[in-house]
């Protein structure tokens, strides 16, 4: 008979192990030529069966590679759209400026390589989507993007000490500095660990790019359990050495993360992210907003979705009994329960459709949200034709019907909360352009204004991400 502590430890290990499976799928894509990522192989170091000739590679089906490729492209598109947004600065008298500091926080980052691809010029979305930027805005320089990764402390510790150093080009110096936490808010004996990572190139690399030779401390890794109170996470991020700024436009990336959180913990996290935006009057001339980019399954209520949940149940990730997070932790009766029975109900089980996902964002405080299933993303706008042609050249796909089912059961969505448009006021007059879903909010002084972040939710030809009318869902508060 397993104790409840054993069950939760096995549950945690199973979820942490999903990072290994994700990086192996990406590595298989890169080996087949779907896309370029020179960091994925060293980042896969230590993952089970990471060699091309291993059983994991020989049994990985084309449908998995094709779906993983679409997942990478969709999240790159959302991140690239955020990086391309022209933003207003209080120093610039309200003028647009693509070089205003912004922040990206990857929650549940695992072995993600997006920062490295962006840092060293391998972020393909920024190159392929240049025509989708607003007013010709280009990506901001490295020094104007503050990048955070957050995951379980054991994962972050290994990433800092083992995985990242093996990814860094030889002519760059890698340095990770632990951040000491000791205050009334965060005790010295707290289980959290965080690091500031600096990368600096030598003169041999100076001819390729001035930006990537500039020593940077804009890369931060934080060990944190996302089931814990989100307020604790923001205390860590706000440490002077990490420098998180609530007044700066911020994108939170959650790629197959919400699905593994207990339902109440996922809502608490999403709500806290929305509430973290700085709405103080001193920043009213800036584009202060929080956006979330989410990639998650939508199991629906059909046979395909039930098989998905059944497989996760067999893996020890989904429990049998239905209870909320707090009950699962505090109930003493769990000690005598059968293995998995005491696990809390996960977001995956309660947020089963695209409309559920979008409604959840609005309920958690976001002004607007837009999303589509991955088949719509693949066929209508988000995945570029050139990328689809490249995938088709890599290998044939015989299981077309199964691929469609798979893609219908995953979604990509974006939610935005503005800090200066006051669209959540009960007396605010919000106008929605029915053609491209752009939002304008009447202010107390009679003026109308919008938020640059709302452009991430645009639909149609002006969509930075590629959402198309009739092929996505748009909701607003």
């Amino acid at each position: 008979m397993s104790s409840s502590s054993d069950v939760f430890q096995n549950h945690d290990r199973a979820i942490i192990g999903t990072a290994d499976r994700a990086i192996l799928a990406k590595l298989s894509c890169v080996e087949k030529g779907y896309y370029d990522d020179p960091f994925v192989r060293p980042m896969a170091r230590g993952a089970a069966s990471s060699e091309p000739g291993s059983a994991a590679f020989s049994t990985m089906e084309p449908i998995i590679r094709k779906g993983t490729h679409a997942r990478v492209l969709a999240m790159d598109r959302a991140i690239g759209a955020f990086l391309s947004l022209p933003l207003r600065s209080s120093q610039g008298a309200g003028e647009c400026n693509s070089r205003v500091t912004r922040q990206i926080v990857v929650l549940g980052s695992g072995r993600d390589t997006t920062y490295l691809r962006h840092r060293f010029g391998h972020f393909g979305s920024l190159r392929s989507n240049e025509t989708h930027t607003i007013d010709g805005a280009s990506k901001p320089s490295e020094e104007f993007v503050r990048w955070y990764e957050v995951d379980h402390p054991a994962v972050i510790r290994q990433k800092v000490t083992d995985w990242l150093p093996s990814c860094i080009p030889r002519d760059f110096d890698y340095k990770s500095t632990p951040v000491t936490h000791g205050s009334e808010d965060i005790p010295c004996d707290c289980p959290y660990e965080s690091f500031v990572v600096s990368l600096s190139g030598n003169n041999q690399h100076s001819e390729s790019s001035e930006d990537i030779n500039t020593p940077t401390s804009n890369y931060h890794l934080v060990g944190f359990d996302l089931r814990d109170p989100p307020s604790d996470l923001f205390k860590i991020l706000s440490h002077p050495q990490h420098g998180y700024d609530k007044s700066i436009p911020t994108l939170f990336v959650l790629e197959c993360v919400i699905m593994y959180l207990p339902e109440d913990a996922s809502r608490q996290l999403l709500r806290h992210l929305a509430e973290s935006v700085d709405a103080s009057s001193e920043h009213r001339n800036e584009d202060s907003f929080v956006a979330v980019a989410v990639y998650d399954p939508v199991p629906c209520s059909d046979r395909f979705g039930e098989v998905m949940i059944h497989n996760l149940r067999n893996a020890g990730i989904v429990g049998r009994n239905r209870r909320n997070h707090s009950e699962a932790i505090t109930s003493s009766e769990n000690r005598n329960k059968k293995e998995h029975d005491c696990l809390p109900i996960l977001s995956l089980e309660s947020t089963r459709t695209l409309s559920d996902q979008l409604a959840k964002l609005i309920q958690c405080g976001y002004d607007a949200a837009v999303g589509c299933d991955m088949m719509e993303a693949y066929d209508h706008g988000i995945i570029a034709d050139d990328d689809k042609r490249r995938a088709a050249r890599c290998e044939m796909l015989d299981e077309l019907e199964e691929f469609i089912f798979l893609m219908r059961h995953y979604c990509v969505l974006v939610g935005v909360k503005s800090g200066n448009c006051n669209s959540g006021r009960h007396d605010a007059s919000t106008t929605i352009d029915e053609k491209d879903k752009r939002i304008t909010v009447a202010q107390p002084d009679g003026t109308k204004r919008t938020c640059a972040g709302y452009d991430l939710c645009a639909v149609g030809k002006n969509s930075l991400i590629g959402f198309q009318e009739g092929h996505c869902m748009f909701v607003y508060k």
Side-chain angles (χ1 to χ4, degrees):
M1 186 76 68
S2 300
S3 69
S4 61
S5 61
D6 290 338
V7 172
F8 284 115
Q9 289 176 3
N10 292 336
H11 175 70
D12 287 356
R13 280 194 291 268
I15 292 178
I16 291 173
T18 62
D20 287 359
R21 290 191 288 275
I23 196 67
L24 289 177
K26 292 176 180 179
L27 176 57
S28 183
C29 283
V30 171
E31 294 287 345
K32 279 286 186 179
Y34 277 82
Y35 70 103
D36 299 318
D37 184 350
F39 310 104
V40 70
R41 170 159 289 285
M43 189 62 76
R45 178 181 175 183
S49 306
S50 59
E51 292 303 316
S54 67
F57 273 77
S58 61
T59 60
M60 191 166 291
E61 300 176 353
I63 188 175
I64 300 300
R65 283 189 285 269
K66 200 174 183 73
T68 299
H69 180 228
R71 165 180 170 174
V72 171
L73 293 172
M75 298 310 289
D76 278 5
R77 188 72 183 266
I79 295 171
F82 172 75
L83 290 173
S84 73
L85 282 174
L87 304 174
R88 286 184 292 267
S89 170
S90 58
Q91 288 80 17
E95 295 181 358
C96 289
N97 183 354
S98 66
R99 294 170 65 84
V100 173
T101 300
R102 60 197 81 196
Q103 299 169 144
I104 292 177
V105 185
V106 183
L107 298 176
S109 56
R111 297 174 183 257
D112 185 69
T113 62
T114 310
Y115 169 78
L116 296 173
R117 290 190 292 122
H118 169 257
R119 177 80 168 88
F120 293 101
H122 296 276
F123 193 71
S125 179
L126 287 173
R127 293 192 298 270
S128 62
N129 293 333
E130 286 178 349
T131 57
H132 294 279
T133 59
I134 301 177
D135 298 330
S138 59
K139 82 178 182 72
S141 300
E142 162 65 24
E143 61 187 295
F144 293 98
V145 182
R146 198 172 296 139
W147 205 290
Y148 302 86
E149 293 185 5
V150 180
D151 209 318
H152 190 280
V155 174
I156 291 298
R157 191 181 310 117
Q158 193 165 9
K159 189 165 191 175
V160 168
T161 58
D162 296 334
W163 305 334
L164 272 177
S166 63
C167 293
I168 306 305
R170 292 180 180 179
D171 50 353
F172 272 75
D173 294 325
Y174 171 85
K175 180 181 179 182
S176 63
T177 304
V179 176
T180 302
H181 299 285
S183 66
E184 294 181 359
D185 292 331
I186 305 177
C188 289
D189 59 351
C190 75
Y192 309 130
E193 293 181 276
S194 63
F195 304 84
V196 178
V197 172
S198 299
L199 307 175
S200 56
N202 58 34
N203 292 333
Q204 295 175 356
H205 213 79
S206 60
E207 295 180 359
S208 61
S209 172
E210 180 180 349
D211 288 332
I212 61 176
N213 283 290
T214 303
T216 176
S217 58
N218 279 350
Y219 187 29
H220 307 260
L221 289 90
V222 175
F224 185 82
D225 190 329
L226 293 174
R227 296 166 297 187
D228 289 344
S231 57
D232 288 348
L233 172 59
F234 279 88
K235 290 173 185 176
I236 299 172
L237 293 175
S238 299
H239 189 286
Q241 285 182 260
H242 290 311
Y244 182 86
D245 188 340
K246 292 183 178 181
S247 70
I248 293 176
T250 302
L251 174 68
F252 290 91
V253 179
L254 301 101
E255 184 179 341
C256 284
V257 172
I258 296 177
M259 63 179 287
Y260 296 122
L261 295 177
E263 172 61 11
D264 57 340
S266 71
R267 288 182 175 272
Q268 183 183 28
L269 175 62
L270 287 170
R271 188 176 298 111
H272 202 96
L273 298 183
E275 294 172 350
S276 69
V277 64
D278 189 343
S280 61
S281 58
E282 62 182 293
H283 296 117
R284 291 295 286 273
N285 289 328
E286 298 179 357
D287 271 315
S288 178
F289 67 88
V290 161
V292 292
V294 178
Y295 178 92
D296 239 11
V298 280
C300 303
S301 297
D302 57 18
R303 176 63 179 165
F304 193 99
E306 291 306 319
V307 170
M308 180 188 296
I309 292 178
H310 175 76
N311 291 338
L312 291 173
R313 183 174 293 122
N314 288 342
I317 292 174
V318 173
R320 296 189 179 96
N321 283 1
R322 299 295 187 261
R323 58 179 71 225
N324 64 37
H325 183 44
S326 58
E327 288 176 330
I329 292 177
T330 62
S331 177
S332 60
E333 68 180 4
N334 289 339
R335 297 173 184 171
N336 297 318
K337 286 289 182 183
K338 205 173 173 183
E339 188 170 357
H340 307 325
D341 282 2
C342 57
L343 295 177
I345 182 171
L346 301 184
S347 175
L348 170 73
E349 302 171 88
S350 58
T351 314
R352 287 178 166 262
T353 66
L354 176 62
S355 59
D356 289 343
Q357 293 272 8
L358 293 170
K360 185 173 182 175
L361 290 181
I362 298 301
Q363 292 163 8
C364 290
Y366 296 86
D367 300 332
V370 63
C372 65
D373 69 53
M374 284 301 295
M375 198 65 238
E376 297 287 2
Y378 201 83
D379 284 343
H380 301 285
I382 294 181
I383 309 302
D385 290 340
D386 285 347
D387 291 316
K388 288 187 285 187
R389 282 191 287 267
R390 179 171 180 172
R393 289 194 298 268
C394 290
E395 58 186 335
M396 295 290 294
L397 181 65
D398 296 326
E399 312 93 339
L400 181 58
E401 185 176 353
E402 186 178 354
F403 175 70
I404 293 173
F405 272 117
L406 176 68
M407 298 288 273
R408 292 288 184 200
H409 286 80
Y410 283 87
C411 70
V412 57
L413 51 146
V414 174
V416 175
K417 170 66 177 178
S418 171
N420 57 9
C421 278
N422 293 313
S423 59
R425 298 190 343 263
H426 71 279
D427 60 338
S429 175
T430 302
T431 303
I432 305 292
D433 187 311
E434 290 302 321
K435 187 175 182 180
D436 60 14
K437 308 303 181 188
R438 286 190 173 179
I439 301 173
T440 304
V441 183
Q443 301 300 295
D445 60 3
T447 62
K448 292 184 178 181
R449 69 172 303 163
T450 187
C451 167
Y454 290 155
D455 284 324
L456 297 175
C457 293
V459 175
K461 67 178 183 179
N462 291 320
S463 174
L464 297 178
I465 298 176
F467 293 108
Q468 298 301 313
E469 185 71 38
H471 301 285
C472 68
M473 294 181 64
F474 173 86
V475 294
Y476 66 97
K477 185 182 295 184

